[in-house]
Amino acid sequence: MNLQLMNILLALAWAAVTGSFTLANLIFGFVLGALVMYFIREQVGSLGYFRRLWRIGTLMLVFLRELLFSAWRVAALVLTPKLDVQPGIFAYPLRVRSDMQITLLANMITLTPGTLSVDISEDHSTLWVHALDCSDPEATRQDIARMFERRIMEAFE
């Protein structure tokens, strides 16, 4: 049986037993189901499942951290008396290949203040990104690769 499906079924079973189908209770049931599956991981062969859950959780935390830091940087930039920015569009060569990974990366870039995914090439090899401050596009490319793309590839390999 698929381990994600088993974990969802355990969460639904928890909600049915407790009689509360609230979002918080379903999330608690999911975490409780994952904990149960962790204790029997040798029997169900779920070690890779927990690595993936860990990597997805890490990706979410990194995204939230970048969201907060970039919002702070954009707010500080906008509140300065002299707005000294060099907006621009640059090409970002993609290493991710699946449509889901490309969509996730583009949405993470767009949701981060100060950057916006503009377009993707026909062959899905290049993502065009607009940056509020494009004075050093190579540093921005490296930040995207290090913070988002690498973790997306690790989580969804």
Side-chain angles (χ1 to χ4, degrees), residues 5 12 20 22 45 48 51-52 58 73 79 87 89 93 118 126 139:
L5 178 62
L12 290 173
S20 174
T22 63
R51 282 189 193 123
R52 175 172 279 185
T58 303
R73 286 190 302 261
L79 293 175
I89 296 177
V118 178
T126 305

Side-chain angles (χ1 to χ4, degrees), residues 51-94:
R51 282 189 193 123
R52 175 172 279 185
L53 279 180
W54 177 259
R55 291 174 179 163
I56 290 172
T58 303
L59 176 65
M60 290 183 344
L61 289 175
V62 165
F63 172 69
L64 288 175
R65 184 188 71 196
E66 284 301 307
L67 181 69
L68 292 173
F69 284 154
S70 64
W72 179 261
R73 286 190 302 261
V74 168
L77 188 66
V78 169
L79 293 175
T80 57
K82 182 177 182 261
L83 191 60
D84 186 25
V85 294
Q86 295 175 338
I89 296 177
F90 63 91
Y92 180 78
L94 291 170

